[in-house]
Each structure stands twice: as C-alpha cells, then as structure tokens.
C-alpha cells in the first residue's frame, strides 16, 4: 500500500511538471492566451486518464504476463505509443481538424508507434542477452564453479549486478578455501590429539597393570609406578582441559570478566613457578617489568594461563645456557608484554602457522620427561584466543637460530 501511494504521488508530480512544461512551450510558441485554459484542461484530462491507464498496465503483475524482458519493453513502448495516440485524437477533436488532416496525423502516429515497438524489441533483445549471460554465469557459480566470473558489460544496473555476483563468487571461494583449511586443521588436530591421548592412556594402563600383577614387589617400586601413573593422568587431564577451552574459544562463547589486576604480580608468580624447571635446564629466567604498567584490565586466572603457555613453550625450545625473558612496558594506551627466548627459533615457512590448532614444527614433536604435558599444539592457539577475549592482540617474530619473541597487548585500567 505504501509503495502504491508513493508511485501515485510521483506520477502526479510528473504530470504536473509535464503540464507546466507544455504550457510554457505553448506560451513560447505564441499560442493565443485565450486558448491556454482549454489546452491545459485537455492536456490534464488526456494525460491524467492515459497516465492512470499506463500505471495500471505497466505494473509487474500485468506487464509480467507478456513474458520476458523483450516482450515487456515492447509492451511498454506500445503502451506509450497508444497513450500518445489517444492524446492526439482528443486534441484533434478539440481542434476540429479536417478528416484529411486527421488521417495523415493518425498514419504518422501508427508509423511512430510501430517504430517505437521495434526499438523496444531491439533494446529488449540486447538487454535480455546480457541478463541471460549473467544468469548463465550465476548458474555455473551455483553448481560450485566458484572461479567462474560473470561478464560485466556496460555501466548500468545489469553491469552492477554482474559485479556484485563476481564479488559474491570471490567471497564464496575465499570462504570455501577457509573451510577447506579448517577441515584440514580439524583432521590434523584429531590425529595429534588421538596420538597424545593414546600415549598417557597406554602408559597409565601399563603402570597400573604392573602394580596389579605384582611386578612392583616392594613398596618403593610400587610408589614409583603410581607416581608415574599420576603424572600421566595429570597430563591427560590438562589435555582435556585444553580441548574444552579451545572449543569454547572457537564457539565464541568464552566471555571473560575483566578486573583491575597487577601485571607485575602475575609475571612474578609465573617466574617463581617456572624457576625450578629453568634451573634444571640451566636456562636463565628473567623478568623486566616497567614500574608504571599496573593496573591492567584482565582476568587473572586466564592471563596467568597465557603466561604459563608462553613461558613453558619458550623453555621447551631453549637450550642450556640460554635465556627466557618476560618484559612488560606501556605502549600508548595499552601494555605490551613480551616473552622472548634464545632458542632454536621458527622456520619462516612455519611462522604464519604457529597459532594454528595442532600445528607443531616437526623437530618439536617429541616429548621428554621434563617437558611436562604432552604437546598437542594447542597452547599457542589457546593463548591467542584468551588474549583476543581480553580485547588484545598477539603476534610473533622469530628466525632460525635467533630465538622467538611472542608479544601481546592488554588494555590499561
């Protein structure tokens, strides 16, 4: 209803403008002033009636019955010609033209109407061919040929539609590529997790069976076996927790409650907890914290986990006599935290993938006793997801033999 009223309002406005332009032309052509009211009445009646008829006929529900674009343009041309013919007939009767003049006028109008319909068919054919080429291109895209492009011809709405379809196809291709990459990552993750689940489960089963079969005859050996089983179960529990955390991050349901926190205390606690492991590896673990970094907006347990993941990863890849450093300093309206090491570094081809789920460089896939939890390649992915949940960003710089520097930002309170 609203669209119909808007169309009627525009039609009345167009009729008024047309009538004013016609009367101005009549004045310029020196039509007698006494005839102007009659001419205005004639034009308003003929134009209003003919325009109303045209509005009814060109509606999609009516004109669409003619068929395709070619038939519709020809029909619109014919309607316009008939409107002009009706107005001329009404004008001829009002002007009392002779029969000879009226016949000549009608002949010219019929010829003009046929030409108008012909031009409408020609224009409709060209437009329909372009639309058909767009349809063929979209049909190829619909069948999965996302590399196909719709031809862009001209600068009108059809050309704009073709450009939109091409942009849509490129977006769909990019989305399909991302989906393929995610599917590959998912398969790699399942394979890695399956391997890392199997290892502690098999070890725990063997240890428990040994105790049950009496292999550990003395209490000391039995305690050692049970301690090893407990350690493997701890590894297993940590891996399950990582999977649960990663699932929440990927699902977008991880919402952190941020509060004013002391970054200095969190880094100090992290250094203290890792100092024994660093000492066992003969690695220097140092902290360099600017005095004006506090307070920051953070969720302390989750931020502590980020620091834990980054430091444990740095220690794992740093040889003896190396250094792992935690640094924190203001950076504009944020605080930048860096965990750097003097370890083996990351190959340039691996660097873009370090935050992917289950990605592990081949040389770091093994695990020793002091490495702690089995590495399913989830630690860095979880760390970046938690930092992004804090509203910050994380990146990495590294080179083979030159160590690595993981940096992330936090908002200041």
């Amino acid at each position: 209803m609203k669209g119909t009223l808007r169309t009627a309002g525009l039609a009345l406005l167009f009729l008024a403008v047309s009538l004013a332009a016609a009367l101005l032309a009549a004045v310029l052509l020196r039509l007698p002033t006494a005839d102007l009211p009659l001419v205005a009445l004639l034009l308003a009646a003929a134009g209003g009636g003919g325009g109303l008829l045209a509005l009814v006929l060109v509606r999609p529900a009516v004109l669409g019955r003619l068929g395709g674009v070619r038939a519709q343009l020809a029909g619109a041309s014919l309607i316009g010609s008939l409107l002009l013919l009706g107005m001329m007939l009404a004008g001829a009767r009002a002007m009392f033209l002779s029969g000879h003049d009226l016949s000549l006028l009608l002949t010219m109008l019929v010829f003009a109407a046929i030409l108008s319909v012909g031009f409408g068919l020609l224009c409709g054919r060209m437009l329909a061919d372009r639309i058909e080429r767009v349809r063929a291109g979209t049909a190829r895209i619909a069948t999965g040929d996302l590399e196909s492009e719709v031809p862009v011809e001209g600068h009108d709405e059809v050309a704009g539609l073709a450009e939109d379809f091409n942009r849509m196809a490129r977006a769909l291709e990019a989305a399909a590529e991302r989906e393929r990459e995610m599917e590959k990552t998912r398969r790699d993750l399942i394979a890695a997790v399956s391997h890392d689940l199997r290892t502690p489960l098999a070890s725990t089963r063997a240890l428990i069976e040994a105790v049950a079969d009496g292999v550990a005859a003395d209490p000391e050996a039995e305690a050692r076996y049970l301690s090893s089983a407990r350690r493997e179960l701890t590894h297993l529990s940590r891996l399950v927790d990582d999977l649960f955390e990663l699932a929440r991050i990927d699902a977008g349901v991880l919402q952190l409650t941020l509060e004013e926190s002391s970054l200095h205390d969190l880094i100090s606690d992290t250094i203290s907890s890792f100092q024994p492991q660093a000492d066992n590896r003969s690695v220097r673990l140092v902290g360099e914290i600017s005095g004006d970094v506090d307070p920051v907006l953070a969720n302390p347990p989750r931020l502590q986990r980020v620091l834990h993941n980054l430091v444990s990863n740095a220690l794992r890849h740093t040889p003896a006599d190396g250094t792992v450093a935690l640094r924190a300093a203001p950076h504009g309206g944020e605080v930048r935290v860096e965990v750097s090491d003097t370890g083996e570094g990351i190959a340039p081809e691996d660097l873009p993938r370090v935050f992917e789920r289950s990605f592990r460089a081949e040389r770091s896939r093994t695990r020793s006793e002091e490495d702690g939890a089995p590495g399913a390649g989830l630690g860095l992915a979880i760390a970046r997801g938690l930092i992004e949940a804090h509203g910050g960003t994380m990146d990495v710089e590294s080179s083979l033999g030159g160590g690595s520097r993981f940096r992330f930002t936090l908002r200041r309170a």
Side-chain angles (χ1 to χ4, degrees):
M1 183 64 181
K2 184 177 180 180
T4 303
L5 293 176
R6 184 172 180 271
T7 302
L10 291 175
L12 290 175
L13 179 61
F14 183 74
L15 177 62
V17 172
S18 301
L19 182 59
L23 292 178
L24 178 60
V27 172
L28 294 176
L29 294 174
R30 298 182 179 180
L31 189 70
T33 307
D35 293 340
L36 287 179
L38 180 61
V39 171
L41 180 61
L42 175 64
L43 292 177
L52 180 61
L53 178 63
L55 284 177
V56 173
L57 293 178
V58 299
R59 293 178 60 193
V62 178
L63 196 61
R65 297 179 180 274
L66 297 178
V69 174
R70 282 173 284 192
Q72 292 185 35
L73 285 177
S77 301
L78 181 60
I79 291 172
S81 300
L82 292 176
L83 174 61
L84 179 61
L85 180 62
M87 292 184 63
M88 293 303 298
L89 283 175
R93 293 184 61 85
M95 292 182 292
F96 303 102
L97 293 178
S98 65
H100 174 269
D101 294 339
L102 182 59
S103 299
L104 179 61
L105 180 62
L106 291 177
T107 301
M108 294 178 65
L109 287 175
V110 169
F111 178 69
I114 295 174
L115 285 180
S116 177
V117 173
F119 282 127
L121 285 173
L122 178 62
C123 181
R125 177 184 176 182
M126 293 186 294
L127 183 60
D129 289 344
R130 291 173 58 200
I131 294 176
E132 188 60 35
R133 286 191 286 272
V134 172
R135 286 185 59 191
T138 57
R140 292 193 299 271
I141 293 174
T143 57
D145 184 11
L146 300 180
E147 295 182 357
S148 175
E149 287 196 358
V150 175
V152 180
E153 303 172 286
H155 304 281
D156 55 7
E157 289 83 353
V158 178
L161 179 63
E163 291 178 349
D164 290 341
F165 269 106
N166 289 336
R167 282 194 294 270
M168 180 187 67
R170 289 191 291 269
L172 289 174
E173 175 64 21
E177 180 63 25
R178 288 195 299 271
E179 184 177 355
R180 288 191 291 268
E181 292 177 356
M182 291 179 63
E183 178 62 21
K184 181 179 181 301
T185 302
R186 185 187 65 83
R187 291 195 300 268
D188 293 342
L189 176 62
I190 291 176
V193 170
S194 299
H195 174 270
D196 291 321
L197 285 173
R198 188 183 302 115
T199 300
L201 284 174
S203 300
T204 304
R205 179 179 179 182
L207 291 167
I208 293 176
E209 287 179 350
V211 173
D213 293 341
V215 175
D218 58 285
E220 182 179 351
E222 181 177 341
R224 188 171 63 253
Y225 277 39
L226 292 177
S227 177
S228 298
R230 184 185 301 111
R231 184 171 60 252
E232 293 294 343
L233 289 175
T234 300
H235 297 166
L236 183 62
S237 176
R238 189 174 298 126
L239 178 58
V240 172
D241 290 342
D242 285 347
L243 289 172
F244 180 69
E245 189 88 324
L246 189 60
R248 296 184 65 194
I249 292 173
D250 287 341
V253 298
L254 181 63
Q255 296 181 351
L256 303 182
T257 301
L258 305 183
E259 59 187 50
E260 292 188 6
S261 306
S262 172
L263 183 59
H264 188 284
D265 291 344
L266 290 171
I267 292 179
S268 298
D269 292 343
T270 302
I271 293 176
S272 298
S273 64
F274 278 97
Q275 193 62 58
Q277 184 176 338
D279 293 339
N280 290 336
R281 290 175 170 270
S282 299
V283 173
R284 291 182 297 276
L285 183 58
V286 299
E288 300 174 8
I289 309 170
S290 176
D292 55 347
V293 296
D294 289 333
V296 295
L297 284 176
N299 182 284
R302 301 302 174 85
L303 183 55
Q304 190 77 68
R305 184 169 190 183
V306 172
L307 294 171
H308 181 280
N309 288 355
L310 294 180
V311 174
S312 63
N313 183 72
L315 285 174
R316 188 178 300 118
H317 298 286
T318 302
D321 296 328
T323 301
V324 174
L326 280 77
R327 300 182 179 91
H331 184 74
E334 299 176 322
V335 172
R336 175 175 288 178
V337 181
E338 178 181 287
V339 178
S340 62
D341 62 68
T342 57
E344 61 199 33
I346 304 171
E349 63 272 17
D350 292 338
L351 199 58
R353 302 184 58 197
V354 294
F355 293 110
E356 290 183 5
R357 282 84 172 130
S358 79
F359 175 76
R360 293 175 295 186
E362 191 64 31
R363 57 187 167 275
S364 63
R365 295 184 71 91
T366 58
R367 175 176 63 100
S368 61
E369 285 299 322
E370 62 267 23
D371 282 339
L378 305 180
L380 294 179
I382 291 173
R384 187 172 68 168
L386 291 176
I387 290 300
E388 291 176 349
H390 278 80
T393 59
M394 178 177 289
D395 57 30
V396 59
E397 289 183 0
S398 185
S399 60
L400 278 178
S404 303
R405 292 164 298 284
F406 287 87
R407 294 189 297 262
F408 63 87
T409 60
L410 294 170
R411 290 178 293 170
R412 305 190 71 174

